[in-house]
Structure formats: structure tokens, C-alpha cells
Amino acid sequence: EGDVLAGKYRVERVLGHGGMGVVIVATHVHFNDTVAIKFLLPEIAQNADIVQRFLREGRSARRIKSEHVVKVSDIDVLPSGAPYMVMEYLEGTDLAQVLEAQGTLRIEDAVEYVLQACDALVEAHALGIVHRDLKPANLFLTRRPGMATLVKVLDFGIAKVASSDGGRSALTATGGMMGS
């Protein structure tokens, strides 16, 4: 806490971590914006394919302008070699946590959440991006200013991206299993 990364992001706290990385909350020192910054764990960042997939996630998510996809504002590598991705900071919880806490959703809520996720996927697919790991943990529930629930699709880390010549990215092998 308190460290300044890349000369502009002051670390506030750890938001969460998993098997591949950690997400922190930081403040942009020039704009005073709160952001979330995702890092790969050091042992994971040694794998060049995973680093490329991580950077592709940032580029892919940034291309999607839907209000239903978490906004990515920066991707880069620290002088230490650690790649990072700066995203909008979201307040709320993911759908997996909601389901664990309360069980079955009301039908109206379930339909609304699926429709919002579909809006994100329509735009992603129009750009040649296929998410490939859509699950409750990657659907984040936050609030719009009017207090209506807003679904944000997270984690385009294993997305398949069509190349400009119609081919597919070579970062995942044909027939390879990824995601959950």
C-alpha cells in the first residue's frame, strides 16, 4: 500500500487474487480516479504464452465499447517485467457470490442478467472475439446511477480472436480445453 506503480498509480489495497493473478485497487495520482489493476503472479508471468494471452485480454476487452464489458484503460509492463492491465473499478459482486449467498435468482433477474451479458457478447462477436469462459464468476453485478443492476462481463483472458485474414489466434491449440 502506498507504492506508486508506473509513476501514476498509487496502490490502495488488494481487491482479490486467484491462481493466475492478483487485482489491486489504486488511485491515478494525476486524475484522482480509482482503478483496478490486474497483475499476473510472478511465477505465471514467466510463461510467455500466458503473458501474450494476458495482453491480448486487455487489447480485446478495450476494443469492446459495450457498457456491459469492464473498461480497460491501459496495459503495459512494469520495469520489473510484470505485465499489468488497468481497468475501471467496479463496486458490487459477481453473480457466483450472489448465487452462493441467496440461491436461485428470481426469473425476472435471471433473464435481465442474461440479456445484458448477451449485449456484451453480441458486440464482442461482431469484433471477432469469442469469450469462451462465460460463467457466473465472470458476470459482475454493479449499479447504474439510477440504481438498476448493471451486468459487466469480465475476464476475456482465454478469448479466441479472429485475425484479419479470417484465421484464429494461435495462442490456444485447436481442440485444447480452456476455461471452466
Side-chain angles (χ1 to χ4, degrees), residues 14 16-24 37-48 50-51 54 57 78 80-85:
V14 173
H17 54 83
M20 301 273 294
V22 62
V23 178
I24 65 165
I37 304 178
K38 183 177 182 179
F39 293 93
L40 290 176
L41 295 174
E43 59 273 17
I44 302 296
Q46 300 302 313
N47 182 313
I50 292 174
V51 169
F54 178 82
E57 172 188 359
L78 293 174
S80 67
Y84 66 93
M85 179 184 324

Side-chain angles (χ1 to χ4, degrees), residues 38 52-66 68-72 85 87 117 119-125 127-134 138-139 152-161:
K38 183 177 182 179
Q52 287 304 309
R53 197 172 293 126
F54 178 82
L55 296 173
R56 183 183 64 195
E57 172 188 359
R59 288 189 299 270
S60 294
R62 184 167 173 82
R63 290 176 51 213
I64 305 167
K65 303 304 182 197
S66 170
H68 299 292
V69 174
V70 67
K71 303 292 184 240
V72 173
M85 179 184 324
M87 303 169 288
D119 280 349
L121 297 178
V122 164
E123 187 169 334
H125 291 178
L127 294 169
I129 301 166
V130 180
H131 190 285
R132 299 197 315 167
D133 196 24
L134 200 60
N138 286 336
L139 298 178
K152 294 274 193 170
V153 177
L154 308 176
D155 199 359
F156 280 80
I158 61 173
K160 183 165 263 193
V161 181

Side-chain angles (χ1 to χ4, degrees), residues 160 172-178:
K160 183 165 263 193
T172 54
T174 300
M177 292 292 289
M178 299 200 70

